Amino acid sequence: MDRDYLGRVILGLLALRGIDFLRKRLLSKEEEKASTNVHEAKVDYASQLQVDEAKVDYASQLQVHEAKMDYASQLPDDVLSSILSRMTIKDAVKTSILSTRWRYLFASMPTLRFSLDMFGIKYLGPICAPYDQKKFLEVVNQFLQLYLGHKVVELEINMFIERHFFSRKFAQLMHSISKLDVERLHLNFTCEKTPTSQDIDLPHDAFFEFSLELLSQASSLKSLFLSVCIVRPSVGLRLNSLKTLSLTGVLLETGQLEDILFSCLNLNQLVIKYCKLPHKLCISGTVTSVIFADCGGLEEIDLQATKLSGFECFFDEKVRFYFSSVPVLERIKISLRGDASMPYIFGEFPMSLPAQVKSLIVTACYTQVTHFPTETQIFRDLRMLALLLESTYDFDIVKVFPILDACPVLQYLDILQHKTYRQNERGSHTKPPLSPTVHTELKEVRFGGFHGTKEETELAIYILRSATVLDQMFLSQYSINPYFKAYYGHDIWEERERERISIQQQLFEQAISSNAVVIVQ
């Protein structure tokens, strides 16, 4: 490559909006002062001696620095590239002045991340000035020319682009990207590096229209992450190499997601977060894992992915699920906001659940836990159940016991409550204790956020008296990984050690399983 061209690219990268690292002096302030002292030193013996000592000290430091750089320069290219990959692009370019060996080494970095702030561009909110958009696209495009023929493991670009003015320049940038062996591509069409749920409320005209046709030549692309844009499918396009697709803050109209999935013949993971969705969706294709998080607009979703094994969803409103064709689906994590969600999840939902689903995780917040149903439909084949109760306040945990009775073959039970306020101990002493039933499969129970209240102890006793083959009951004030944190920041048993031992002994005596071990922590 023409080194004059390379120099222009480096200069453009560093000089954009006032950043001109190459014009900075290489000597520190202390070195400049020492150099000035050398030239202005007096001829007298004492001053000359100080100058000589300064020269010797500077020479020693320079030798040490050169020795370190000489040692670093002898490292293999892959090691040096690994070092550079842990730097920002701006800092990596600065290493080109260290020595001849480092001059063009930054052009082999396997990970590239571009954003406006690395050029010193100041912006307010998710948008920026047209001049900055234009210069950003030009410089990044020039920089990527250095990588033609090189392998880029990950490329991340954070930018705001007005589609009416810079679509052509962006297409040129995508053409350069398609010539690279990029495996993971992040395109975030907002100036902010981390998109949030508020980005979806931007005016429709503020969203850049990204066409999948721009990726038609990206034969090595395995993971694609698109944020804050409108995705336009392409008829006849086939992205055979793509394994992971993540959409954040994306506007999806009716039929668009289905068309996108049709183009991705070997897609494994689909993640949709902070997106505006149509009323109905159909998930099909080759996906094995699907995650929806904090999306709005959806009312019905039909799962027709024959290879789907794991499904997670977090919706603000009640969504109706149809499991049309999911023969290998085994794991479901569900969180539906709204008071009607609990009666649906433990009422109509299990009636449509495929028999092969073995694991269910249900998240409920404060407004929902008070709507736990007293009667539930039977989960006939469920082996693992986790109840994650977020921000509970004055909730009688004993009320979850009907759910346990609805899972006759349950083997593993996780209960995790996160009480944002102190829970009042009331109710359990005014009603008779629960009559134990028989659970012949339950082997392990983990109870996170356990504080030893009467209600919590009553539920634990009910389980111990019901589980005939229980091996372990673990009750902890801490969270149960990998779920949310349930610890309050202090050790609740620190001044209650005697009480902890008493509770542990009391519970152990209630176990009908001879193998049961009870741990209170």
Side-chain angles (χ1 to χ4, degrees):
M1 177 175 291
D2 185 357
R3 295 196 171 185
D4 291 336
Y5 170 77
L6 178 61
R8 291 196 301 272
V9 173
I10 298 174
L11 184 60
L13 182 64
L14 293 174
L16 184 59
R17 290 301 296 264
I19 293 182
D20 191 359
F21 174 76
L22 298 180
R23 292 187 302 176
K24 290 183 179 179
R25 302 186 63 180
L26 302 181
L27 294 177
S28 65
K29 291 182 179 181
E30 291 78 13
E31 292 170 343
E32 290 178 355
K33 185 176 180 179
S35 178
T36 302
N37 288 339
V38 170
H39 292 291
E40 296 180 356
K42 296 180 180 180
V43 185
D44 60 275
Y45 178 79
S47 298
Q48 186 63 45
L49 184 60
Q50 292 179 353
V51 171
D52 291 341
E53 290 176 349
K55 288 182 177 180
V56 171
D57 182 62
Y58 176 76
S60 300
Q61 294 181 11
L62 186 60
Q63 289 178 354
V64 172
H65 174 73
E66 290 178 346
K68 290 181 178 178
M69 290 310 307
D70 183 63
Y71 174 77
S73 298
Q74 294 177 8
L75 296 173
D77 287 348
D78 57 343
V79 176
L80 294 180
S81 295
S82 178
I83 295 174
L84 292 177
S85 67
R86 290 163 172 78
M87 302 180 181
T88 63
I89 292 178
K90 185 174 72 173
D91 290 337
V93 171
K94 292 178 182 179
T95 64
S96 62
I97 67 169
L98 296 178
S99 67
T100 304
R101 173 77 187 284
W102 289 78
R103 184 166 301 170
Y104 307 109
L105 191 62
F106 71 89
S108 63
M109 292 172 60
T111 301
L112 301 175
R113 292 185 173 87
F114 296 95
S115 58
L116 291 171
D117 57 355
M118 66 180 289
F119 299 127
I121 299 176
K122 297 181 179 180
Y123 53 87
L124 298 175
I127 63 177
C128 60
Y131 172 80
D132 294 328
Q133 299 174 44
K134 180 175 180 292
K135 295 300 296 182
F136 180 83
L137 288 172
E138 290 176 349
V139 173
V140 173
N141 190 30
Q142 289 179 339
F143 190 88
L144 292 182
Q145 300 300 314
L146 304 175
Y147 280 79
L148 296 181
H150 292 277
K151 183 179 182 62
V152 179
V153 176
E154 187 169 4
L155 173 61
E156 179 180 329
I157 302 178
N158 300 281
M159 58 194 165
F160 174 81
I161 302 176
E162 294 183 72
R163 62 189 182 196
H164 302 297
F165 299 103
F166 300 113
S167 293
R168 179 175 298 181
K169 285 190 174 295
F170 178 74
Q172 294 174 351
L173 175 63
M174 291 302 301
H175 181 70
S176 299
I177 293 175
S178 66
K179 292 183 178 181
L180 306 176
D181 291 331
V182 179
E183 292 186 0
R184 296 168 58 87
L185 177 61
H186 300 250
L187 296 176
N188 175 26
F189 294 91
T190 176
C191 298
E192 299 171 348
K193 291 184 179 181
T194 305
T196 66
S197 57
Q198 297 179 351
D199 290 321
I200 203 66
D201 296 325
L202 292 173
H204 190 276
D205 292 341
F207 286 83
F208 185 81
E209 291 192 5
F210 179 84
S211 174
L212 290 181
E213 187 67 33
L214 296 171
L215 299 173
S216 59
Q217 302 300 318
S219 58
S220 62
L221 188 62
K222 294 182 179 179
S223 300
L224 175 62
F225 303 83
L226 297 175
S227 300
V228 194
C229 64
I230 298 173
V231 182
R232 298 297 182 192
S234 178
V235 178
L237 177 67
R238 297 295 179 266
L239 300 176
N240 298 328
S241 62
L242 196 63
K243 300 293 184 181
T244 300
L245 175 62
S246 178
L247 305 178
T248 303
V250 172
L251 299 183
L252 290 170
E253 299 176 356
T254 301
Q256 287 186 339
L257 182 60
E258 288 83 350
D259 291 340
I260 292 172
L261 293 176
F262 184 74
S263 299
C264 304
L265 300 181
N266 298 296
L267 192 68
N268 290 334
Q269 185 177 41
L270 174 65
V271 179
I272 301 179
K273 187 176 183 180
Y274 305 145
C275 292
K276 278 189 177 179
L277 305 176
H279 296 315
K280 296 183 180 181
L281 275 183
C282 178
I283 304 297
S284 59
T286 61
V287 288
T288 60
S289 173
V290 174
I291 300 175
F292 285 89
D294 297 319
C295 297
L298 188 64
E299 296 177 359
E300 296 182 5
I301 182 169
D302 189 6
L303 301 177
Q304 299 182 13
T306 57
K307 296 184 179 180
L308 185 66
S309 59
F311 178 73
E312 297 184 21
C313 63
F314 304 85
F315 292 116
D316 289 334
E317 301 294 337
K318 174 184 172 182
V319 177
R320 191 175 301 275
F321 298 88
Y322 298 96
F323 302 93
S324 297
S325 180
V326 282
V328 296
L329 180 63
E330 292 187 349
R331 304 178 309 277
I332 294 180
K333 184 175 182 179
I334 183 171
S335 174
L336 304 179
R337 305 301 182 187
D339 297 343
S341 61
M342 289 297 102
Y344 169 72
I345 292 175
F346 295 103
E348 183 180 344
F349 182 72
M351 298 176 63
S352 61
L353 204 62
Q356 76 276 359
V357 174
K358 308 300 182 188
S359 173
L360 176 64
I361 301 175
V362 178
T363 300
C365 66
Y366 164 62
T367 60
Q368 298 167 296
V369 294
T370 56
H371 292 81
F372 263 91
T374 55
E375 296 182 2
T376 66
Q377 294 293 329
I378 300 298
F379 292 89
R380 299 190 181 278
D381 300 284
L382 202 62
R383 300 305 176 103
M384 184 272 178
L385 174 64
L387 300 175
L388 312 184
L389 311 179
E390 298 181 1
S391 303
T392 57
Y393 171 70
D394 198 20
F395 172 64
D396 187 353
I397 192 66
V398 177
K399 292 181 178 180
V400 306
F401 86 92
I403 298 174
L404 308 183
D405 293 343
C407 306
V409 295
L410 194 66
Q411 295 180 348
Y412 303 96
L413 172 64
D414 285 354
I415 300 175
L416 178 57
Q417 60 176 351
H418 184 190
K419 294 176 289 188
T420 54
Y421 305 95
R422 181 175 180 179
Q423 186 181 42
N424 295 329
E425 297 185 10
R426 67 182 187 184
S428 60
H429 60 280
T430 62
K431 62 180 184 294
L434 298 176
S435 300
T437 56
V438 178
H439 290 275
T440 58
E441 302 287 335
L442 192 58
K443 298 179 179 179
E444 183 176 326
V445 176
R446 299 188 301 172
F447 193 161
F450 180 84
H451 289 65
T453 65
K454 291 181 179 180
E455 292 86 356
E456 294 168 351
T457 304
E458 181 179 359
L459 180 61
I461 291 176
Y462 166 76
I463 296 173
L464 289 168
R465 288 180 176 178
S466 303
T468 59
V469 295
L470 188 68
D471 291 330
Q472 176 177 288
M473 173 177 282
F474 181 72
L475 305 110
S476 174
Q477 63 182 315
Y478 302 97
S479 62
I480 304 174
N481 290 329
Y483 309 128
F484 59 80
K485 188 176 181 180
Y487 179 47
Y488 290 89
H490 63 280
D491 191 345
I492 64 171
W493 301 115
E494 185 176 1
E495 298 179 359
R496 301 169 57 192
E497 179 62 15
R498 224 176 252 189
E499 182 182 353
R500 184 193 68 81
I501 296 175
S502 175
I503 292 175
Q504 182 168 301
Q505 182 63 30
Q506 176 190 1
L507 294 178
F508 176 75
E509 293 173 351
Q510 300 293 330
I512 64 172
S513 172
S514 58
N515 297 324
V517 175
V518 179
I519 301 174
V520 179
Q521 179 178 300

